Amino acid sequence: RAWAEKVLKTGKSVQFEDIRHGHNIKNIINPVLNEQGEVESLAIFGIDITEQKQAELALRDRKERLKQIIQQMPYPVEISIPDGTADMVNRAFLNMFGIPSADMVIGQYNIFNDDIIMNKLGLRREMERVFQGEMIPAFEIILPVENYGDAYGV
């Protein structure tokens, strides 16, 4: 009722979610204006988004499980979002490169801005192929681990 009164008072649409009889409902209330631009009535829509909410929760759970599995892996793992920015690294990755905190990598490091990997090692083409979804065997990419931390100031 308060939402409807807000639309009547402001003349602006509102959206909100609530739970009714165990279902998640997305509600949309739009003003219907008369010729003078005054709110004449309301158009009210309710959409059952219970399945969407359940799918979002299941996806969140799967992501968390995957993160836990990756953290337990004994070999270094870095996962990047499509633009090349690091989104997740595991403890083995941090240890291998002598990086004290994942915060120094996640959201900060972008492989496409890495001069060593892109230019000095000449791996730009390979990285572009990987980020386009192509599988490249690991033996084709060799990264020197020595002095890596020095090169990146960590």
Side-chain angles (χ1 to χ4, degrees):
R1 187 139 179 84
W3 291 107
E5 288 175 12
K6 181 178 180 179
V7 175
L8 288 168
K9 188 176 189 176
T10 65
K12 297 186 186 223
S13 298
V14 295
Q15 293 185 26
F16 62 96
E17 293 179 15
D18 65 356
I19 298 175
R20 284 188 235 144
H21 308 289
H23 289 265
N24 292 75
I25 307 295
K26 178 178 182 177
N27 300 281
I28 304 165
I29 304 177
N30 294 312
V32 177
L33 307 178
N34 62 21
E35 291 176 8
Q36 291 76 34
E38 300 164 335
V39 178
E40 183 175 83
S41 60
L42 299 176
I44 302 172
F45 304 94
I47 304 165
D48 188 339
I49 58 169
T50 304
E51 287 183 21
Q52 177 185 342
K53 288 290 187 179
Q54 291 170 342
E56 289 170 0
L57 183 59
L59 179 60
R60 245 190 329 270
D61 289 347
R62 281 190 218 117
K63 283 183 177 180
E64 184 58 34
R65 203 166 329 148
L66 176 61
K67 184 177 181 179
Q68 291 172 357
I69 290 168
I70 288 171
Q71 287 300 335
Q72 298 302 317
M73 290 180 172
Y75 50 86
V77 176
E78 174 195 343
I79 297 176
S80 299
I81 59 176
D83 75 354
T85 302
D87 189 48
M88 182 189 307
V89 294
N90 68 356
R91 175 62 40 204
F93 178 93
L94 298 174
N95 292 340
M96 180 172 147
F97 295 113
I99 301 170
S101 168
D103 294 337
M104 297 176 75
V105 180
I106 297 172
Q108 305 297 316
Y109 173 77
N110 185 302
I111 196 163
F112 292 111
N113 297 331
D114 187 323
D115 186 57
I116 292 175
I117 292 176
M118 292 294 125
N119 300 318
K120 292 179 183 171
L121 296 174
L123 296 174
R124 179 171 299 281
R125 190 173 70 76
E126 286 82 357
M127 290 297 109
E128 288 171 351
R129 287 170 48 202
V130 167
F131 277 84
Q132 290 173 1
E134 188 175 335
M135 298 288 287
I136 297 179
F139 61 82
E140 286 186 24
I141 300 174
I142 301 169
L143 300 175
V145 178
E146 304 82 29
N147 303 322
Y148 200 80
D150 293 338
Y152 294 97
V154 291

